[in-house]
Structure formats: C-alpha cells, structure tokens
Amino acid sequence: MDTLLQQLLNGLVVGSVYALVALGYTMVYGILGLINFAHGEVLMVGALTALTVITTLMGVSPDMPPLLLLGIGLLAAMVVCMIVAFLMERLAYRKLRNAPRLAPLITAIGVSFLLQTLAMIVWGRNYHTFPQLISTTPMQPIEGVYINPIQITTIVASAIIMVGLVLLVTRTKLGRAMRATAENHRVASLMGVDVNKIISLTFVLGAALAAVAGVLFASNYGIAHYAMGFMPGLKAFTAAVLGGIGNLGGAMLGGIVLGLVEAVGAGYIEHLTFGFLNSSYQDIFAFVILGIVLIFRPTGLLGERVSDRA
Amino acid sequence: MSNSNPVTPILQLKDVKIAYGGIQAVKGIDLELYRGELVCLIGANGAGKTTTLNALAGTLGLAGGELIYDGEAISTMPAHKRLRRGIALVPEGRGIFTRLTVEENLRMGAYIRNDSAAIEEDLEKVYTMLPRVKERLQQVAGTLSGGEQQMVAIGRALLSRPRLLLLDEPSMGLAPLVVEKIFEVVQTVKDEGVTILLVEQNANLALEFAQRGYVMDSGKISITGSGEELLANPAVRAAYLGEAA
Ligand SMILES: Nc1ncnc2c1ncn2[C@@H]1O[C@H](COP(=O)(O)OP(=O)(O)O)[C@@H](O)[C@H]1O
Ligand SMILES: [Mg+2]
C-alpha cells in the first residue's frame, strides 16, 4: 500500500510537469490546428538557460540566497523561451498558416532539430549538473512514503500556474479573445481582434509554461542537457492527445493521468511481466495508454471534436 | 438625395475588383454611401455581394481599384483596424462563436472598447432591443435558433458602436416573423444615424426599406437607383421580385 502511495506521489510530480508542457501543445493546436513538435525543445532551452544564469550568478556572487538564484534563473528562462517561441511562430509557422497540414508539421520537426542543434553548439553534448537550489532531502509525512521539498514545489507551482491560466482563458477579455480566435480567425478579426497578436501570445504563453516545466524538471533530476526536451515533449504531446487535444482541462488531466500511470506502472512492471521487463521500460506505458485511448475514444478523454478547422 | 448633397460620401468604391486566386468575382464596381443612408445591394446568388462586403470589412484583399472611407484610402487596412474606424460587418451565416456564451459573443463586439460603463449601458440597450437574447445570456451560443443567432450577431456588431454597418443577408433562412423583427432592428439602428449597407436576397423587403439600391449581376453593378425606382423597374421585377417581365 505504501509503495502504491509512493508511486502515486511520484506520478503526480512528473504528471504536473507533463501537464504544464501539454498545455502549450494544446493551446497552439486549439488556435492554429498545428502540432508544434518543437515545443518540447522549449523546455530544454528553459532548463539550460536557467542553468547558465544560475551558475554564472553563483560564480559572481556566491552568497546569493538559493531561492533568489532560482527565481532569477527561472525568470531568464521564461524570457528566453518566450523569445524563442515568438520567433518560431513568426519565422517558421506564420507563412505556412494556409499551407496543407503536412507542411507545418514537417517544419515543426525541422525547428525541433534546429533548436537541439543550436543548444548542442551553445551548451555542448555533455550532461550538466543542474544546481538543486531547493532541497531534495526526503521527508516522511507518512511512514514509508517520502517526499522532498522540490517535489512539493513542483506540484504546488504547477497547480498555481494552471489555475492562473484557466482563470486567464475563462475570465478575462484577453482569454475570451483567445477562445474566439480559436473558433474562427476571420470573425475574431471582425471583432477588432488582431489575430496575429493573439497567435503570438499563445505561443509565448505556452513557452513560459514550458520554461517553468524545464526548470522544475531539471531541478528534480539535477541534470540538464541538449536532448533533455525530447522525451518529456513526446510525453506531454501524448498527454495532450490523451486528454483531448485543443482542450485545456484535457491537457491537465492527460498530464496527471499519464504521470500516475507511468509511475505506478514502473513500480509494478516487473511483476506484471514476470521479471521480463524492469522499471527502465516505464516509457512503454505512455504509448500503450495512448494507443488504447485512441482506439476507444479517438477524441481523447475530454475532447468533443478533434478540430473545427481540420 | 445624394445628387443634391454636397457632402462627401462616407464610403466610396472606385472600380473595385476582387478575385479568388486568378478568378475575378467582382469585376470593377463603383458604389457610394452617404452618411445616414440605408442602401441595399441585391443580386442573384453568386453575383459577388458577399465578396464585396468581405472586402469592405477587410477580410478579403482587392485585386484592383480603391476603397475610400471617410476621405481615407483603406484598401490595404486589415479588418481589425477597420472595425476601429467604425466599419462593422455582420457576416453571411452570422459568424457566431458557437462555443462562447451569448453574453461572451456580445462582449466580443465591444472588444475594441475600454469604456466599461458605456459598454454595460449599450449591452442593456441591446437587451431591450432583443428581449429573447437576454433570457439566454449564459447559454452557449451554438444552442440558439437561427433567428436568435442572427439577433446576437447584429447586437454584437452594434456593440462596437459602428458608423458604417454592413449586413450580409440577415434574413437568410429565417421565418417571416423573425425577419420582420430583424428589419425593425435595422430601422432603429438607421434612425440612430448609422449608415447601413444591406445585402439581401429578399429584394422586395430590402428595397422598401432602403433609400437607394444597387443591383449586382455577375460581379458588376447592372442597375442603380432609389428604392422606388428599382421596385418599379421591370428588369429588376423580373429578375429579383419573381415576376414575369
Ligand atoms: N472562397 C471562395 N473561393 C473561390 N470562389 C469563391 C469563394 N467565395 C465565393 N466565390 C465565388 O465568387 C462568386 C461570388 O460569390 P459571392 O460573393 O458569395 O456571391 P453572393 O454573395 O452574391 O451570392 C461566386 O462565383 C462564387 O462561386
Ligand atoms: Mg452571399
């Protein structure tokens, strides 16, 4: 029982990160019908930017409090990621808005490679130790169940950001314009909405969330490198589809569900396969679950329709 | 009226051409609207009426010619800026945001405004004009009937406080009683001084309301005149009012 509780807790941590990234996928899909495969790389750019800023600051002023360091690193990561996403949309995707769907999809894969390669040039091929500025010393709130402060931070920060995003989208004038644009670009422009601005904003907002996810991810594992965005990106995309792509609630639910299934699965995979597979095969679960959901519920858990503008 | 009026038109189309790909749908038209007028544009299906209105609102570009609004060339101005200048379009098929609530749809109409107190007043005005809409404010707009959606579409356009209102077949597919109600609203808007360009298939009704009319045929303006003149014109009667010539 304690193992299960422990797995669920671990799953919630990873799931929160997936959810943050999945939101970026789903927002862009909702407004453009585009699967931005390069979104996972934004997480990587965020983590590595924070790494550089934090290690530089640590060198310059060693007495800076850890939380301030992390805060500045996070802020820098968000700014850089927002710029990267803005340029991505402006330079790569905008011209392809009315192109056949395959063109932007292939472009997105190209952008993904480009970002990885650029990151490799800037940060090298090595794994970097990411400073763990929030403690990773485990606490034991329940006998046999461990949680550390960075895990708590991950869950709480993700939850706050998600609530904020939902409030923005459902309660504000800007959010209303985003939803109107997602439904119909042309009519939104007839309401005086600058559709290009709303699309840029959607990319930038998604990138900010990915930056936070990247910093949290690296802080949890204590590692960052140029290819670190690929797997969480793929998982988050899976989570977005799982929840119903284009749907905010779906992305959050999909992320959490995926994290939970993966963690619990990892805990039991040896038993399930009679020792044939060990926990390093946990990635299987994400894709098996995705396959099953798509067979029985092609629109995902919360999706009503795949797209109005397919 | 326009002949004797020394005032410059609020809107002027000069040899306007509009094309889809290489195919010209509007082949060089001239049209003028004067402040406070209600002018209608009639013509058969596929004549180019919707194309013309979309180009006026800015969601379609010109292939030639010029648009002058309020003395300013606006041919290349994007749609969202034209709304800020006072040109609002109620598009063909209504263009309701089906996943937004009725109230959210209406508030989208006031997107360009920041005078919140006045927006609330205008909302109240729309509610009194369209009482059936008020009972359904929190409903998702996609669940409304066609007539209710048309009312919301018109109310939404009014919330931008337009100076020039373009209406694309507001009576399309609606029951006679609803159509009557919609024309009442159009009349009220006109009485408030808004210039209106009305596209209608229902030529009889439109020409009775309008001071002037243009008849469009295969991308060109074929006939123009006052409402009464057009109603009396045998060619118009034959083509658009369902009478034998
Ligand atoms: N999106 C489009 N792409 C290509 N051709 C179009 C498009 N919309 C309209 N047309 C063509 O342009 C012409 C005028 O259409 P339209 O302006 O909709 O006419 P109306 O509103 O008078 O019925 C028609 O021949 C129509 O087939
Ligand atoms: Mg039409």
Side-chain angles (χ1 to χ4, degrees):
Chain A
M1 197 56 215
D2 291 349
T3 349
L4 180 63
L5 206 57
Q6 182 69 59
Q7 309 291 8
L8 287 175
L9 201 62
N10 296 346
L12 195 58
V13 175
V14 191
S16 305
V17 175
Y18 291 163
L20 283 181
V21 183
L23 282 167
Y25 275 104
T26 229
M27 286 195 293
V28 164
Y29 184 87
I31 215 148
L32 277 186
L34 164 75
I35 308 278
N36 178 18
F37 266 119
H39 187 58
E41 309 309 334
V42 177
L43 173 151
M44 170 273 293
V45 170
L48 287 168
T49 303
L51 172 82
T52 300
V53 170
I54 290 169
T55 46
T56 309
L57 281 176
M58 281 168 118
V60 179
S61 61
D63 312 325
M64 202 179 268
L67 278 184
L68 183 62
L69 273 175
L70 188 65
I72 296 174
L74 180 65
L75 206 63
M78 289 170 79
V79 170
V80 169
C81 286
M82 287 157 99
I83 293 170
V84 166
F86 177 84
L87 292 176
M88 196 192 294
E89 188 276 326
R90 197 71 190 76
L91 301 178
Y93 300 139
R94 186 168 294 186
K95 282 221 163 57
L96 299 172
R97 234 178 253 169
N98 299 312
R101 297 200 130 198
L102 204 52
L105 190 65
I106 292 170
T107 304
I109 295 169
V111 171
S112 175
F113 280 122
L114 177 73
L115 286 176
Q116 260 196 42
T117 309
L118 286 177
M120 195 171 79
I121 294 167
V122 176
W123 285 286
R125 307 175 64 107
N126 298 334
Y127 284 75
H128 301 277
T129 307
F130 194 93
Q132 297 191 296
L133 298 165
I134 295 181
S135 162
T136 52
T137 314
M139 305 179 295
Q140 213 177 154
I142 303 169
E143 183 69 22
V145 178
Y146 295 89
I147 188 163
N148 64 37
I150 182 63
Q151 288 179 312
I152 296 172
T153 308
T154 303
I155 295 170
V156 172
S158 304
I160 291 172
I161 288 171
M162 287 191 258
V163 168
L165 183 74
V166 168
L167 290 179
L168 172 76
V169 171
T170 57
R171 298 286 164 82
T172 68
K173 181 172 167 181
L174 184 64
R176 200 192 301 140
M178 289 172 74
R179 286 180 288 131
T181 305
E183 185 165 340
N184 192 328
H185 290 194
R186 197 179 75 88
V187 178
S189 76
L190 290 176
M191 303 293 114
V193 176
D194 186 343
V195 169
N196 284 331
K197 263 197 195 143
I198 295 287
I199 290 172
S200 291
L201 182 90
T202 304
F203 271 84
V204 163
L205 211 56
L209 300 198
V212 177
V215 172
L216 290 173
F217 198 75
S219 298
N220 271 282
Y221 295 103
I223 266 178
H225 67 119
Y226 79 96
M228 70 181 281
F230 179 73
M231 226 359 145
L234 197 57
K235 298 278 182 63
F237 167 63
T238 305
V241 175
L242 181 66
I245 192 143
N247 181 312
L248 290 191
M252 296 186 259
L253 180 69
I256 302 293
V257 166
L258 194 65
L260 293 178
V261 168
E262 223 175 65
V264 173
Y268 294 100
I269 190 167
E270 273 195 87
H271 298 295
L272 287 172
T273 60
F274 305 104
F276 184 64
L277 298 176
N278 62 34
S279 65
S280 55
Y281 286 89
Q282 61 162 313
D283 291 342
I284 286 177
F285 287 99
F287 306 110
V288 169
I289 291 288
L290 179 68
I292 293 171
V293 168
L294 287 184
I295 288 166
F296 292 103
R297 212 177 141 73
T299 55
L301 298 174
L302 300 186
E304 302 129 51
R305 54 211 134 177
V306 172
S307 167
D308 288 342
R309 280 173 291 116
Chain B
M1 171 192 166
S2 56
N3 297 341
S4 58
N5 198 337
V7 176
T8 52
I10 185 169
L11 179 75
Q12 225 175 337
L13 285 73
K14 291 182 175 169
D15 195 26
V16 163
K17 301 184 176 86
I18 311 158
Y20 294 105
I23 302 162
Q24 274 204 1
V26 173
K27 301 164 184 163
I29 60 169
D30 295 280
L31 188 151
E32 278 122 47
L33 288 181
Y34 292 85
R35 255 164 254 281
E37 272 191 310
L38 196 173
V39 172
C40 78
L41 179 61
I42 59 175
N45 232 332
K49 306 180 299 294
T50 295
T51 303
T52 304
L53 286 201
N54 287 342
L56 291 179
T59 61
L60 267 180
L62 297 192
E66 214 179 350
L67 295 179
I68 317 265
Y69 173 74
D70 227 0
E72 184 189 3
I74 57 159
S75 309
T76 57
M77 186 185 282
H80 67 270
K81 289 195 179 148
R82 291 192 203 186
L83 184 77
R84 284 171 199 274
R85 300 298 170 91
I87 306 178
L89 167 67
V90 178
E92 187 175 56
R94 303 159 198 136
I96 286 294
F97 299 113
T98 56
R99 283 180 260 162
L100 271 54
T101 66
V102 171
E103 184 178 345
E104 286 177 327
N105 266 276
L106 291 171
R107 287 190 184 276
M108 276 309 294
Y111 179 75
I112 55 169
R113 296 171 54 186
N114 291 312
D115 47 344
S116 28
I119 291 174
E120 300 308 316
E121 273 173 35
D122 285 4
L123 272 170
E124 286 305 324
K125 248 172 77 183
V126 167
Y127 300 155
T128 43
M129 207 165 16
L130 311 169
R132 291 177 62 186
V133 164
K134 186 167 189 186
E135 299 152 23
R136 292 168 172 73
L137 285 181
Q138 301 313 319
Q139 215 167 308
V140 173
T143 62
L144 296 187
S145 71
E148 289 161 348
Q149 289 194 6
Q150 190 60 258
M151 300 281 188
V152 172
I154 294 173
R156 187 177 66 176
L158 293 178
L159 275 159
S160 71
R161 289 204 168 165
R163 294 197 291 138
L164 171 61
L165 181 64
L166 311 169
L167 293 160
D168 198 347
E169 297 206 36
S171 72
M172 197 186 348
L174 302 181
L177 266 176
V178 184
V179 173
E180 205 173 292
K181 175 73 200 163
I182 284 172
F183 273 79
E184 263 173 44
V185 172
V186 172
Q187 186 65 52
T188 314
V189 175
K190 190 215 169 248
D191 292 343
E192 284 181 8
V194 178
T195 310
I196 299 176
L197 180 58
L198 170 68
V199 161
E200 260 303 330
Q201 290 260 328
N202 195 336
N204 234 330
L205 192 55
L207 288 172
E208 267 172 41
F209 265 91
Q211 281 139 314
R212 294 189 301 119
Y214 291 83
V215 179
M216 203 169 182
D217 186 11
S218 309
K220 297 202 151 165
I221 301 285
S222 57
I223 312 170
T224 172
S226 72
E228 297 103 67
E229 277 165 15
L230 292 181
L231 273 172
N233 185 313
V236 174
R237 300 196 71 84
Y240 307 107
L241 303 174
E243 278 182 21

